[in-house]
Amino acid sequence: MPHYANQTEGLRFRIVLAPGVALGPGKADLLEAIRDTRSLTAAATRFDMSYKRGWNLVQEMNAAFASPLVETEKGGSGGGGGAQLTDLGVYVLERYRAMEADARAAIEAGIDDLRQHLAASPHQD
């Protein structure tokens, strides 16, 4: 089976809020997973991401906004710390998802039109 760089069809919504400050599907998915699991380790694991990569993304987001999006709590000697979205983190996630849905709705007809003009290939059904 051939490998394709673009596995996801449709819109991949990424916004650049300021130079060096971007919010896209990966960070939004990580925020959502932290909200759902209340654990940075569990959230990162959902995406086959190392804890360090998840931690770096959280630090990047926390530093970019006026106040942190994620609060973490250190665990004891056996681990067991937690992570949760702050009120701003919930707001940013919800606002991003709303903007993503608006953008998807706005371009849906255009995507459908362009797909009609694709050449047939073995990987398309």
Side-chain angles (χ1 to χ4, degrees):
M1 172 183 235
H3 175 71
Y4 299 99
N6 296 315
Q7 293 292 325
T8 304
E9 292 184 2
L11 176 69
R12 290 203 32 95
F13 186 69
R14 181 176 185 264
I15 53 175
V16 178
L17 299 168
V21 180
L23 184 60
K27 288 179 182 171
D29 289 348
L30 181 61
L31 289 174
E32 203 164 62
I34 290 168
R35 181 199 63 200
D36 294 348
T37 65
R38 299 182 64 86
S39 164
L40 180 53
T41 301
T45 300
R46 277 191 182 181
F47 307 107
D48 293 324
M49 180 187 300
S50 70
Y51 175 85
K52 183 176 182 344
R53 175 71 178 141
W55 176 244
N56 287 341
L57 289 171
V58 165
Q59 287 183 309
E60 185 180 309
M61 288 186 282
N62 281 351
F65 285 87
S67 62
L69 304 187
V70 176
E71 291 178 336
T72 57
E73 176 178 297
K74 186 175 179 179
S77 60
Q84 66 181 6
L85 299 188
T86 62
D87 289 344
L88 181 58
V90 171
Y91 176 80
V92 167
L93 175 60
E94 289 176 353
R95 186 69 178 111
Y96 173 85
R97 290 299 189 205
M99 292 168 60
E100 181 182 45
D102 290 346
R104 185 174 291 113
I107 67 168
E108 191 171 336
I111 289 174
D112 289 344
D113 177 56
L114 291 176
R115 282 187 179 139
Q116 293 178 36
H117 301 284
L118 291 174
S121 68
H123 62 79
Q124 292 177 332
D125 292 314

